[in-house]
Amino acid sequence: MTKPIVRFAPSPTGNLHVGNVRTALINWLFATGQGGTFILRIDDTDTERSTAEYEQGIKDDLTWLGLVWGDTFKQSERFDQYDMAADKLREMGLLYACYETADELDRQRKLQRARGKPPIYNRAGLNLTEDEKAAYEAEGRKPHWRFKLSGERVVWNDLVRGEQAIETSSLSDPVLIRADGSYLYTLPSCVDDIEANITHVVRGEDHVTNSGAQIEIFKALGGTAPEMAHTPLLVGADGASLSKRLGSLGMGELRKQGIEPLAICSLLGKLGTSDNVEIRDSLAQLSEEFDFAKIGRSPARFDEADLQNLNAALTHAMPFETAKDRLAAVDPRAANEAFWTLVRENCVTVEDAARFVPVAFGDITPLIEDEDKDFITAAATLLPEGDVTAETWGEWTSVLKAETGRKGKGLFMPLRKALTGMERGPSVGDMLVLMGRDRALARLSGV
Ligand code: GLU
C-alpha cells in the first residue's frame, strides 16, 4: 500500500471535544501506523465564527495529546483556489445560481411533505433564463450556488461501513456557496484534498451523505475520490446520544482534572473496536494495533468512568520522574520519591497525591473511637524507641498483638485511623516511616 496521507479538518469555531479528538486520533493512528502523513487543516471558511484563539486552542490540545502533524494550512488563505474550482464547475454547467430565500425554500419543503413527496430541491434555479436572473438581481437578491448532482448511484467501499451506495437522485443539489459569497465546507474540502493528495478521508458517519456529493465533486474537478472511512458516532454510557456536557467535554477541562493524554487516547482509540479498552504504553502501540477492520458498526459508548479507570491504571504505575514536576506544583513536599511510590496506588490522578501530603508531612485530625482509646494509649507507650524504620511497623504491631490480644482489623484499623485520619489509604507501616516518630506520637495522643 502507498503511504497514506490523511487530514484532520476541524473548524476553529469552538474547542476540541472528545468526539472530534477521536476523529483526529483515528486519522493519526492510521497514518502513523503505515508510515504516512497526518495533516492539520484548519477549516475556517466561516470567517465570522472562526477565531485565532480557537485555532491556537486546537493546536495546543493536539500537541498536548501527542498528535503531532506533518503539515498544516488554513482554508481562509486559499479562497482563490476555491474560486477557480467554482468557475470550473460553472463552466461545466455543474454549479448553478439559485435565488430562493430561506423562507421560500422552507415553504416548498412543507408543500412537498404535505403531498407525500420527499423534500428535495426542485432545481428551479437550473431553468432560469438570463432575464429571470436579472429580474431577481434587480430585486436585490443575491444568488446562492448549488452543485448539480448526477442523479446516479454513487458507490464506494467504506473502510469501516463496507459497501456504501448513495442515490444522488434522492438528495437536494447541495449548496456550495452561500448568498453572501461564503463557502460551505463541501467544495473547499474537495479542492484541498485533491491538492494535498489525500489518500483517505476519515471522519464521523454524520458525513456519509456529504460523501455521495463530494465523490461527484472530486470527479468533476478531475480528481479521484480518496478512500473513505466513516466511523460511528460516540454515544453516552446509556446508549443515548452524548449529553451536552460530555459532548462538549474539552481537553482543557480534562487536563485540569488531571487526566493523562494517554488515558484519553487509549480510550478513544479502542472505544467501539474489537480490542479491549485497556491502558496502552504509548501512542506508538496504539498505532501498531490500529486497524479499520476492528471498528464496529454500532455507536461507541463513551463512559467517563472508563476514563477514570484508565487514568488510575496509568497513575498507579507512573515513575516518580514523570510525576515529579506536577507533584511539586501540588505541594513541594509531595515531590518525594518514597512518598509518591507509596501513595500512587491510591491516586486516580497525580494531583490526588495532595490528599496524603498532610498525612505524611503535615497535620491531620486523628480518628480515635471511644472504644479504642485505651488501645491507642497502649500503642503510644509501646511504639519502639528510636527512628522509625521499615521494620518498626512489624515489631510494633507484634508487641501490640501480644500485649492487647487484638488482631486483624481490630488491631490495624484503629491504628490506621489514629495515624492517618482515614479509613483507607496506603500502607500505614510505610506511611509511619514518612511521618516519623514525633508526628506519630502526637496523633496517638489525639493531637
Ligand atoms: N470541517 C469539517 C468538519 O469538521 C471537516 C469534515 C471532513 O473531515 O471532511 O465537519
Side-chain angles (χ1 to χ4, degrees):
M1 180 165 133
T2 53
K3 293 198 188 315
I5 305 175
V6 300
R7 81 300 193 279
F8 171 52
S11 299
T13 53
N15 292 316
L16 291 186
H17 50 73
V18 287
N20 43 30
V21 165
R22 177 161 166 263
T23 300
L25 177 68
I26 292 176
N27 272 287
W28 193 93
L29 294 177
F30 171 60
T32 313
Q34 309 285 323
T37 307
F38 172 79
I39 293 176
L40 172 62
R41 185 180 89 201
I42 301 293
D43 281 9
D44 56 352
T45 54
D46 183 345
T47 48
E48 299 263 295
R49 291 173 57 227
S50 301
T51 71
E53 287 74 31
Y54 283 132
E55 182 186 334
Q56 192 54 48
I58 289 169
K59 290 178 172 170
D60 291 346
D61 285 345
L62 290 176
T63 305
W64 177 68
L65 289 162
L67 306 181
V68 287
W69 53 92
D71 190 11
T72 182
F73 63 91
K74 293 155 71 126
Q75 290 194 319
S76 60
E77 287 166 359
R78 293 176 41 77
F79 284 123
D80 50 346
Q81 302 296 314
Y82 311 145
D83 291 346
M84 269 162 55
D87 284 344
K88 183 168 173 180
L89 294 179
R90 277 189 200 99
E91 271 163 35
M92 296 168 84
L94 292 177
L95 188 64
Y96 61 96
C98 301
Y99 290 87
E100 297 87 351
T101 63
D103 277 351
E104 286 166 353
L105 289 171
D106 199 41
R107 238 175 293 136
Q108 257 179 40
R109 283 190 290 261
K110 282 192 182 128
L111 217 63
Q112 285 167 313
R113 282 203 195 92
R115 292 187 187 137
K117 298 233 165 71
I120 299 172
Y121 176 59
N122 64 14
R123 289 188 158 171
L126 206 50
N127 304 313
L128 292 176
T129 62
E130 289 309 314
D131 286 350
E132 286 167 328
K133 288 184 197 173
Y136 277 132
E137 307 247 349
E139 267 177 39
R141 295 197 190 210
K142 294 257 179 293
H144 56 276
W145 297 82
R146 290 189 189 257
F147 177 73
K148 187 180 166 209
L149 293 165
S150 67
E152 283 162 17
R153 193 180 160 89
V154 173
V155 290
W156 75 93
N157 192 11
D158 195 280
L159 291 168
V160 174
R161 298 165 63 87
E163 177 143 321
Q164 296 293 293
I166 301 274
E167 296 293 347
T168 60
S169 58
S170 69
L171 303 178
S172 292
D173 288 339
V175 176
L176 300 190
I177 306 173
R178 298 185 187 91
D180 66 2
S182 66
Y183 284 93
L184 282 106
Y185 99 102
T186 323
L187 176 64
S189 185
C190 292
V191 172
D192 292 341
D193 286 346
I194 292 172
E195 191 166 317
N197 292 314
I198 296 299
T199 58
H200 297 74
V201 167
V202 182
R203 56 191 181 183
E205 69 181 11
D206 47 332
H207 284 291
V208 167
T209 310
N210 294 340
S211 290
Q214 284 188 315
I215 287 174
E216 294 211 324
I217 296 174
F218 277 117
K219 290 194 178 137
L221 293 177
T224 22
E227 298 238 31
M228 303 264 172
H230 293 89
T231 56
L233 301 181
L234 285 187
V235 294
D238 54 2
S241 64
L242 268 195
S243 66
K244 216 167 171 193
R245 198 192 71 75
L246 278 186
S248 61
L249 194 58
M251 297 305 105
E253 189 181 323
L254 292 175
R255 188 175 356 182
K256 233 185 282 153
Q257 286 176 20
I259 301 295
E260 306 294 325
L262 195 54
I264 298 170
C265 293
S266 292
L267 179 60
L268 294 178
K270 294 300 179 190
L271 263 195
T273 74
S274 51
D275 285 342
N276 290 336
V277 175
E278 282 163 4
I279 201 74
R280 295 301 197 272
D281 291 340
S282 60
L283 283 176
Q285 189 189 352
L286 283 165
S287 277
E288 255 168 54
E289 295 171 2
F290 179 83
D291 190 340
F292 282 116
K294 291 182 179 176
I295 302 179
R297 288 289 305 270
S298 34
R301 290 178 183 230
F302 178 82
D303 188 345
E304 253 186 312
D306 290 336
L307 195 54
Q308 298 287 329
N309 288 338
L310 293 173
N311 208 70
L314 269 179
T315 308
H316 296 172
M318 191 181 290
F320 175 63
E321 279 307 314
T322 311
K324 194 169 155 190
D325 292 347
R326 280 166 58 195
L327 288 168
V330 165
D331 188 309
R333 294 170 296 176
N336 170 313
E337 185 159 9
F339 170 76
W340 174 244
T341 312
L342 173 59
V343 304
R344 64 183 179 183
E345 288 258 0
N346 288 271
C347 297
V348 171
T349 67
V350 171
E351 287 70 22
D352 276 352
R355 286 198 297 137
F356 302 108
V357 171
V359 180
F361 309 115
D363 298 321
I364 56 134
T365 308
L367 285 174
I368 302 175
E369 309 293 341
D370 282 348
E371 70 263 28
D372 295 325
K373 278 196 169 137
D374 292 345
F375 168 69
I376 293 297
T377 308
T381 330
L382 295 171
L383 181 64
E385 293 295 328
D387 283 346
V388 179
T389 67
E391 276 72 52
T392 304
W393 176 254
E395 289 167 18
W396 186 29
T397 50
S398 301
V399 174
L400 270 173
K401 191 172 167 183
E403 293 286 324
T404 65
R406 288 203 183 209
K407 57 184 182 195
K409 206 173 164 200
L411 174 69
F412 298 114
M413 191 50 99
L415 292 175
R416 172 181 289 284
K417 282 161 57 176
L419 291 171
T420 69
M422 298 174 174
E423 292 190 8
R424 268 174 299 275
S427 147
V428 193
D430 293 335
M431 196 54 103
L432 186 61
V433 180
L434 291 178
M435 74 180 71
R437 187 180 165 82
D438 293 346
R439 216 175 254 118
L441 281 176
R443 289 174 189 178
L444 294 170
S445 59
V447 183

